[in-house]
Amino acid sequence: MTKRYVGWRKSRHSNPNGGCVEIGRASDGTIGVRDTKGDPAVILEVAPREWARLLARVRERGF
């Protein structure tokens, strides 16, 4: 079964041409990541704990 993601948010670092990366959240807390330039049905699913670790590392290293 495919999860339903809601509350899609666009990255603040998106290009003004409309192509962007968005994140949404499923009811079980799973994070969905999609690229609006590609097939919107292709969603990378990330566990909440792993998403938190990724964000912490990005903030720590200043990517």
Side-chain angles (χ1 to χ4, degrees):
M1 184 170 147
T2 303
K3 293 182 182 183
R4 176 172 152 72
Y5 292 91
V6 295
W8 289 102
R9 295 184 340 187
K10 185 187 331 184
S11 168
R12 289 181 280 164
H13 302 287
S14 295
N15 291 327
N17 66 1
C20 63
V21 174
E22 296 179 320
I23 62 164
R25 186 177 300 264
S27 61
D28 68 355
T30 301
I31 304 298
V33 182
R34 67 183 180 188
D35 181 352
T36 62
K37 295 181 307 248
D39 181 350
V42 176
I43 299 171
L44 173 66
E45 296 183 342
V46 183
R49 175 182 270 171
E50 296 305 317
W51 181 251
R53 287 181 63 196
L54 172 67
L55 290 181
R57 193 158 276 185
V58 166
R59 288 176 181 137
E60 170 185 304
R61 296 185 182 188
F63 289 112

Coordinates of all heavy atoms in Angstrom, one line a residue:
M1 N 0.8 -1.2 0.0 CA 0.0 0.0 0.0 C 0.9 1.3 0.0 O 1.9 1.3 0.7 CB -0.9 0.0 1.2 CG -1.9 1.1 1.3 SD -3.0 0.8 2.6 CE -3.3 2.5 3.1
T2 N 0.5 2.2 -0.8 CA 1.3 3.5 -0.9 C 0.8 4.4 0.2 O -0.4 4.6 0.5 CB 1.1 4.1 -2.2 OG1 1.4 3.2 -3.3 CG2 1.8 5.4 -2.3
K3 N 1.8 5.0 0.9 CA 1.4 5.9 2.0 C 1.0 7.2 1.4 O 1.4 7.6 0.3 CB 2.7 6.2 2.8 CG 3.1 5.0 3.6 CD 4.3 5.3 4.5 CE 4.7 4.0 5.2 NZ 5.7 4.2 6.1
R4 N 0.1 7.9 2.1 CA -0.4 9.2 1.7 C 0.4 10.3 2.5 O 0.4 10.2 3.7 CB -1.9 9.3 2.0 CG -2.5 10.7 1.7 CD -4.0 10.6 1.9 NE -4.6 11.9 2.2 CZ -4.7 12.9 1.4 NH1 -4.2 12.9 0.2 NH2 -5.2 14.0 1.9
Y5 N 1.0 11.2 1.8 CA 1.8 12.3 2.4 C 1.0 13.6 2.3 O 0.3 13.8 1.3 CB 3.1 12.4 1.7 CG 4.0 11.2 2.0 CD1 4.0 10.1 1.1 CD2 4.8 11.2 3.1 CE1 4.8 9.1 1.4 CE2 5.6 10.1 3.4 CZ 5.6 9.0 2.5 OH 6.4 7.9 2.8
V6 N 1.0 14.3 3.4 CA 0.3 15.6 3.4 C 1.3 16.7 3.9 O 2.4 16.4 4.4 CB -0.9 15.5 4.4 CG1 -1.9 14.6 3.8 CG2 -0.5 15.2 5.8
G7 N 0.8 17.9 3.7 CA 1.6 19.1 4.2 C 2.9 19.3 3.4 O 3.9 19.7 4.0
W8 N 2.9 19.0 2.1 CA 4.1 19.2 1.3 C 4.6 20.6 1.4 O 3.9 21.6 1.3 CB 3.8 18.9 -0.2 CG 3.6 17.4 -0.4 CD1 2.4 16.8 -0.6 CD2 4.6 16.4 -0.5 NE1 2.6 15.5 -0.8 CE2 4.0 15.2 -0.8 CE3 6.0 16.4 -0.4 CZ2 4.6 14.0 -0.9 CZ3 6.7 15.2 -0.5 CH2 6.0 14.0 -0.7
R9 N 5.9 20.7 1.7 CA 6.6 22.0 1.9 C 7.8 22.1 0.9 O 8.5 21.1 0.8 CB 7.1 22.2 3.3 CG 6.0 22.3 4.3 CD 6.6 22.6 5.7 NE 8.0 22.3 5.8 CZ 8.7 22.3 6.9 NH1 8.1 22.7 8.0 NH2 9.9 22.0 7.0
K10 N 7.9 23.2 0.3 CA 9.0 23.4 -0.7 C 10.3 23.9 0.1 O 10.2 24.7 1.0 CB 8.6 24.5 -1.7 CG 9.6 24.7 -2.8 CD 9.4 25.8 -3.7 CE 8.0 26.3 -4.0 NZ 8.0 27.3 -5.0
S11 N 11.4 23.5 -0.4 CA 12.7 23.9 0.2 C 12.8 25.4 0.0 O 12.5 26.0 -1.1 CB 13.8 23.2 -0.5 OG 15.1 23.8 -0.2
R12 N 13.4 26.1 1.0 CA 13.6 27.6 0.9 C 14.8 27.8 -0.1 O 15.0 28.9 -0.6 CB 14.0 28.1 2.2 CG 12.9 28.2 3.2 CD 13.3 28.8 4.5 NE 14.0 27.8 5.2 CZ 14.7 27.9 6.3 NH1 15.0 29.1 6.7 NH2 15.2 26.9 6.9
H13 N 15.5 26.8 -0.5 CA 16.6 26.9 -1.4 C 16.3 26.5 -2.9 O 17.1 26.3 -3.7 CB 17.8 26.1 -0.9 CG 18.3 26.4 0.4 ND1 19.0 27.6 0.7 CD2 18.1 25.8 1.6 CE1 19.2 27.7 2.0 NE2 18.7 26.6 2.6
S14 N 15.0 26.5 -3.1 CA 14.5 26.1 -4.5 C 14.8 27.2 -5.5 O 14.8 28.3 -5.2 CB 13.0 25.8 -4.4 OG 12.7 24.7 -3.6
N15 N 14.9 26.7 -6.7 CA 15.1 27.7 -7.8 C 13.8 28.4 -8.1 O 12.7 27.8 -8.0 CB 15.5 26.9 -9.1 CG 16.9 26.3 -9.0 OD1 17.7 26.9 -8.3 ND2 17.1 25.2 -9.6
P16 N 13.9 29.6 -8.6 CA 12.7 30.4 -8.9 C 11.9 29.9 -10.1 O 10.7 30.2 -10.3 CB 13.2 31.8 -9.1 CG 14.6 31.7 -9.3 CD 15.1 30.4 -8.7
N17 N 12.5 29.0 -10.9 CA 11.8 28.4 -12.0 C 10.7 27.4 -11.7 O 10.1 26.9 -12.6 CB 12.8 27.8 -13.0 CG 13.5 26.6 -12.4 OD1 13.2 26.2 -11.3 ND2 14.4 26.0 -13.2
G18 N 10.5 27.1 -10.4 CA 9.5 26.2 -10.0 C 10.0 24.8 -9.7 O 9.3 24.0 -9.1
G19 N 11.2 24.4 -10.2 CA 11.7 23.1 -9.9 C 12.2 23.1 -8.4 O 13.0 24.0 -8.0
C20 N 11.7 22.2 -7.6 CA 12.1 22.2 -6.2 C 12.1 20.8 -5.6 O 11.6 19.9 -6.2 CB 11.3 23.2 -5.5 SG 9.5 22.7 -5.4
V21 N 12.6 20.7 -4.4 CA 12.5 19.5 -3.6 C 11.5 19.9 -2.5 O 11.5 20.9 -1.9 CB 13.9 19.2 -2.9 CG1 13.7 18.1 -2.0 CG2 14.9 18.9 -4.0
E22 N 10.5 18.9 -2.3 CA 9.5 19.1 -1.3 C 9.5 17.9 -0.3 O 9.9 16.8 -0.7 CB 8.1 19.1 -2.0 CG 7.9 20.3 -2.9 CD 6.5 20.3 -3.5 OE1 6.1 19.2 -3.9 OE2 6.0 21.4 -3.6
I23 N 9.1 18.2 0.9 CA 8.9 17.1 1.9 C 7.5 17.1 2.4 O 6.8 18.2 2.5 CB 9.9 17.3 3.1 CG1 9.6 18.6 3.8 CG2 11.3 17.2 2.6 CD1 10.3 18.6 5.2
G24 N 7.0 16.0 2.7 CA 5.7 15.8 3.3 C 5.7 14.7 4.4 O 6.8 14.1 4.6
R25 N 4.7 14.6 5.1 CA 4.7 13.6 6.2 C 3.5 12.7 6.1 O 2.4 13.2 5.8 CB 4.6 14.4 7.5 CG 4.8 13.5 8.8 CD 4.8 14.3 10.0 NE 5.9 15.3 10.1 CZ 7.1 15.1 10.7 NH1 7.3 13.9 11.2 NH2 8.0 16.0 10.7
A26 N 3.7 11.4 6.4 CA 2.6 10.4 6.4 C 2.1 10.3 7.8 O 2.7 10.8 8.8 CB 3.1 9.1 6.0
S27 N 0.9 9.7 8.0 CA 0.3 9.7 9.3 C 1.1 8.9 10.3 O 1.0 9.1 11.5 CB -1.1 9.0 9.2 OG -1.0 7.7 8.7
D28 N 2.0 8.0 9.9 CA 2.8 7.3 10.8 C 4.1 8.0 11.1 O 5.0 7.5 11.8 CB 3.1 5.9 10.3 CG 4.0 5.8 9.0 OD1 4.3 6.9 8.5 OD2 4.4 4.7 8.6
G29 N 4.3 9.2 10.6 CA 5.5 10.0 10.8 C 6.6 9.9 9.8 O 7.6 10.6 9.8
T30 N 6.4 8.9 8.8 CA 7.4 8.8 7.8 C 7.5 10.1 7.0 O 6.5 10.7 6.7 CB 7.0 7.6 6.9 OG1 7.0 6.4 7.6 CG2 8.0 7.4 5.7
I31 N 8.7 10.4 6.6 CA 8.9 11.6 5.8 C 9.0 11.2 4.3 O 9.7 10.3 4.0 CB 10.2 12.4 6.2 CG1 10.2 12.7 7.7 CG2 10.5 13.6 5.3 CD1 9.1 13.6 8.1
G32 N 8.3 11.9 3.4 CA 8.4 11.7 2.0 C 9.2 12.9 1.4 O 9.0 14.0 1.7
V33 N 10.1 12.6 0.5 CA 10.9 13.6 -0.2 C 10.7 13.4 -1.7 O 10.8 12.3 -2.2 CB 12.4 13.5 0.1 CG1 13.2 14.6 -0.6 CG2 12.6 13.5 1.6
R34 N 10.3 14.4 -2.4 CA 10.1 14.3 -3.9 C 10.7 15.5 -4.6 O 10.9 16.6 -4.0 CB 8.6 14.2 -4.2 CG 7.8 15.5 -3.9 CD 6.4 15.3 -4.2 NE 5.6 16.5 -4.0 CZ 4.3 16.6 -4.0 NH1 3.6 15.5 -4.3 NH2 3.7 17.7 -3.7
D35 N 11.1 15.3 -5.9 CA 11.6 16.4 -6.7 C 10.5 16.7 -7.7 O 10.1 15.9 -8.5 CB 12.8 15.8 -7.5 CG 13.5 16.8 -8.4 OD1 12.9 17.9 -8.6 OD2 14.6 16.5 -8.9
T36 N 10.1 18.0 -7.7 CA 9.0 18.3 -8.6 C 9.3 18.4 -10.1 O 8.4 18.4 -10.9 CB 8.4 19.7 -8.2 OG1 9.4 20.7 -8.3 CG2 7.9 19.7 -6.8
K37 N 10.6 18.3 -10.4 CA 11.0 18.3 -11.8 C 10.8 16.9 -12.4 O 10.6 16.8 -13.6 CB 12.4 18.7 -12.0 CG 12.7 20.1 -11.6 CD 14.2 20.5 -11.8 CE 15.1 19.5 -11.2 NZ 15.9 19.9 -10.1
G38 N 10.7 15.9 -11.6 CA 10.6 14.6 -12.1 C 9.2 14.1 -11.9 O 8.2 14.8 -11.9
D39 N 9.0 12.8 -11.9 CA 7.8 12.1 -11.7 C 7.3 12.3 -10.3 O 7.9 11.8 -9.3 CB 7.9 10.6 -12.0 CG 6.6 9.8 -11.9 OD1 5.6 10.4 -11.4 OD2 6.6 8.7 -12.3
P40 N 6.2 13.1 -10.0 CA 5.8 13.3 -8.7 C 5.4 12.1 -7.9 O 5.3 12.1 -6.7 CB 4.6 14.3 -8.8 CG 4.1 14.1 -10.2 CD 5.3 13.6 -11.0
A41 N 5.1 11.0 -8.6 CA 4.8 9.8 -7.9 C 6.0 9.1 -7.2 O 5.9 8.2 -6.4 CB 4.1 8.8 -8.8
V42 N 7.2 9.5 -7.6 CA 8.4 8.9 -7.1 C 8.8 9.7 -5.8 O 9.1 10.9 -5.8 CB 9.6 9.0 -8.1 CG1 10.9 8.5 -7.4 CG2 9.3 8.2 -9.3
I43 N 8.7 9.0 -4.7 CA 8.9 9.6 -3.4 C 9.9 8.8 -2.6 O 9.7 7.5 -2.4 CB 7.5 9.7 -2.6 CG1 6.5 10.6 -3.4 CG2 7.8 10.2 -1.2 CD1 5.1 10.6 -2.8
L44 N 10.9 9.4 -2.1 CA 11.9 8.8 -1.2 C 11.3 8.8 0.2 O 10.9 9.8 0.7 CB 13.2 9.5 -1.2 CG 14.2 9.1 -0.2 CD1 14.7 7.7 -0.6 CD2 15.4 10.1 -0.2
E45 N 11.1 7.6 0.8 CA 10.6 7.5 2.1 C 11.7 7.4 3.2 O 12.6 6.6 3.0 CB 9.6 6.3 2.2 CG 8.4 6.4 1.4 CD 7.5 5.3 1.5 OE1 7.8 4.2 2.0 OE2 6.3 5.4 1.1
V46 N 11.6 8.2 4.2 CA 12.6 8.3 5.2 C 12.0 8.1 6.6 O 11.0 8.8 6.9 CB 13.4 9.6 5.1 CG1 14.6 9.6 6.1 CG2 14.0 9.8 3.7
A47 N 12.5 7.2 7.4 CA 12.0 7.1 8.8 C 12.3 8.4 9.6 O 13.3 9.1 9.4 CB 12.7 5.9 9.5
P48 N 11.4 8.7 10.5 CA 11.5 10.0 11.3 C 12.9 10.1 12.0 O 13.5 11.2 12.0 CB 10.4 9.9 12.3 CG 9.4 9.0 11.7 CD 10.2 8.0 10.9
R49 N 13.4 9.0 12.6 CA 14.7 9.1 13.2 C 15.8 9.4 12.3 O 16.7 10.2 12.6 CB 14.9 7.8 14.0 CG 16.3 7.7 14.6 CD 16.6 6.4 15.2 NE 16.1 6.5 16.6 CZ 16.0 5.5 17.4 NH1 16.3 4.3 17.0 NH2 15.6 5.7 18.7
E50 N 15.8 8.8 11.1 CA 16.8 9.0 10.1 C 16.7 10.4 9.5 O 17.7 11.0 9.2 CB 16.7 7.9 9.0 CG 17.0 6.5 9.5 CD 18.3 6.4 10.2 OE1 19.3 7.0 9.7 OE2 18.4 5.8 11.2
W51 N 15.5 10.9 9.4 CA 15.3 12.3 8.9 C 16.0 13.3 9.9 O 16.7 14.2 9.5 CB 13.9 12.6 8.7 CG 13.6 14.0 8.2 CD1 13.0 15.0 8.9 CD2 13.9 14.5 6.9 NE1 13.0 16.1 8.1 CE2 13.5 15.8 6.8 CE3 14.5 13.9 5.7 CZ2 13.6 16.6 5.7 CZ3 14.6 14.7 4.6 CH2 14.2 16.0 4.6
A52 N 15.7 13.0 11.2 CA 16.3 13.9 12.2 C 17.8 13.9 12.2 O 18.5 14.9 12.3 CB 15.8 13.5 13.6
R53 N 18.4 12.7 12.0 CA 19.8 12.5 11.9 C 20.4 13.3 10.7 O 21.4 13.9 10.8 CB 20.2 11.1 11.8 CG 20.1 10.4 13.2 CD 20.5 8.9 13.1 NE 21.9 8.8 12.8 CZ 22.5 7.8 12.3 NH1 21.8 6.6 12.2 NH2 23.8 7.8 12.1
L54 N 19.7 13.2 9.6 CA 20.1 13.8 8.3 C 20.1 15.4 8.5 O 21.1 16.0 8.2 CB 19.2 13.5 7.2 CG 19.5 14.3 5.9 CD1 20.8 13.9 5.3 CD2 18.4 14.0 4.9
L55 N 19.0 15.9 9.1 CA 19.0 17.3 9.3 C 20.0 17.8 10.3 O 20.6 18.9 10.1 CB 17.6 17.7 9.9 CG 16.4 17.6 8.9 CD1 15.1 18.0 9.5 CD2 16.7 18.4 7.6
A56 N 20.3 17.1 11.3 CA 21.3 17.4 12.3 C 22.7 17.5 11.6 O 23.5 18.4 11.9 CB 21.3 16.5 13.5
R57 N 23.0 16.5 10.8 CA 24.3 16.5 10.1 C 24.4 17.6 9.1 O 25.5 18.2 9.0 CB 24.5 15.1 9.5 CG 25.9 15.0 9.0 CD 26.3 13.6 8.8 NE 26.6 12.9 10.1 CZ 27.1 11.7 10.1 NH1 27.2 11.0 9.0 NH2 27.4 11.2 11.3
V58 N 23.4 17.9 8.4 CA 23.4 19.0 7.4 C 23.6 20.3 8.2 O 24.5 21.1 7.8 CB 22.1 19.1 6.6 CG1 22.0 20.4 5.9 CG2 22.0 17.9 5.7
R59 N 22.9 20.5 9.3 CA 23.1 21.8 10.0 C 24.5 21.9 10.6 O 25.1 22.9 10.7 CB 22.0 21.9 11.1 CG 20.7 22.1 10.6 CD 19.6 22.1 11.7 NE 18.3 22.3 11.1 CZ 17.2 21.6 11.4 NH1 17.3 20.7 12.3 NH2 16.1 21.9 10.8
E60 N 25.0 20.8 11.1 CA 26.3 20.7 11.7 C 27.4 21.0 10.7 O 28.4 21.7 11.0 CB 26.5 19.3 12.3 CG 27.9 18.9 12.7 CD 27.9 17.4 13.1 OE1 27.1 17.0 14.0 OE2 28.7 16.7 12.5
R61 N 27.3 20.6 9.5 CA 28.3 20.7 8.5 C 28.1 21.9 7.6 O 28.9 22.2 6.7 CB 28.5 19.5 7.7 CG 28.9 18.3 8.5 CD 29.2 17.1 7.8 NE 29.6 16.0 8.7 CZ 30.0 14.9 8.3 NH1 30.2 14.6 7.0 NH2 30.4 14.0 9.2
G62 N 26.9 22.6 7.7 CA 26.6 23.7 6.9 C 26.4 23.5 5.4 O 26.8 24.4 4.6
F63 N 25.9 22.4 5.0 CA 25.6 22.1 3.6 C 24.6 23.1 3.0 O 23.7 23.5 3.6 CB 25.1 20.7 3.4 CG 26.2 19.7 3.6 CD1 26.1 18.8 4.7 CD2 27.3 19.6 2.8 CE1 27.1 17.9 4.9 CE2 28.3 18.7 2.9 CZ 28.2 17.8 4.0

